[in-house]
Amino acid sequence: MSGGPAGRGQRKKQPWGGVRPFSIKTKLGALVVVSVLITTGLSVIAVHTKTELRFITVFSMIATLLITQFVAHSLTAPLDDMNAVARSISHGDYTRRVRESRRDELGDLAQTINVMADELEAQDSQRKELVANVSHELRTPIAGLRAVLENIVDGVTRADPETMRTALKQTERLGRLVETLLDLSRLDNGVVPLRRRRFEVWPYLSGILKEANMVASARASMASGSGSHTRTDVHLHLDVSPPELVAHADPERIHQVVANLIDNAVKHSPPHGRVTVRARQGAEPESLELEVLDEGPGIPRTEWHRVFERFNRGSVNRPHGPGSDGGTGLGLAIARWAVDLHGGRIGVAESERGCRILITLPGPSSVPS
């Protein structure tokens, strides 16, 4: 029995398919034939040598039992192996696998058990990723809401209508994220709904940057008491042209994209660095091109194809700026998921300094079916 790495994927069936030259039926048939031949041979020897029949009977029984024991062991040993693996799977250990060295029905059964273990391991990994995704997404509105309430309690701001509207907005977003949990269960089937609408880009992105600053301040105040740190020295800059730019997309999903990209850019910015969010008109009416640029160490070209993989944190051992953490490696994966839902494109683009993420969202005339 051997341990198997996570994510083995589907195994291919062996090339012999339904034809098994060493099937169990063949082996049992050979056992009967060999037993008959041994008995017949010993009987012939007894006739020519005038040996007593009782000795021939004893020798035939011993030889047949030895051959039967050998064949039985070859059949029961893999069953014990499979039983041990099945018991481990029932206890939640999906890393063990059955050896697939046989070319008979037991070999097919070993393949089936290993494929089942692979699928259970993949589902367990997806469940853990879902918990991490949910935790990652809920953290932002909770931190923003806490910042507003703490400022009111401490007397930093008054509970005026504008402040309460900000708190209400965070609460509403938190509720929408909770509703998204139901959508995630249908993600693999590609039926997550998009609520597209037209919106003005400048006030929309301005609100996201304001929330990002608010969350950074909240995290800094929460981290100061625990001895850890977070980034509050990075300046966020918004560049929208023309100012009356309008886009057609799902605002909640795009909020996920921009918020995660800003969070990632801030973590990798140098001290007192600058993160720019740039929006331009796309090639089609109401299409949108978004860019998020930072002044950090950038991403090596060899890593561009791995940037949006889940749990990938890049080749930089620790974030560039002081007081940032390594994150969960989920932000960019979530951003790609949201962009893919729109039928858009997201990727790393050429930049003279730092990292530049380019997002292209199609207009209403190119909405995917």
Side-chain angles (χ1 to χ4, degrees), residues 201-202 205 238-243 245 276-282 288-293 359:
V201 176
W202 175 271
L205 293 179
L238 179 60
D239 178 12
V240 178
S241 180
L245 181 62
T276 301
V277 178
R278 183 177 299 157
R280 296 290 186 270
Q281 175 73 47
L288 183 65
E289 289 187 358
L290 286 172
E291 296 181 12
V292 179
L293 306 91
I359 305 154

Side-chain angles (χ1 to χ4, degrees), residues 125-133 136 306-314 326-334 336:
S125 176
Q126 291 174 359
R127 177 183 60 81
K128 293 177 180 177
E129 289 180 0
L130 174 61
V131 174
N133 276 339
H136 185 274
R306 299 183 61 247
V307 165
F308 299 96
E309 294 178 0
R310 292 192 177 196
F311 306 111
N312 174 50
R313 302 184 185 181
T328 61
L330 290 170
L332 293 181
I334 293 172
R336 181 182 63 178

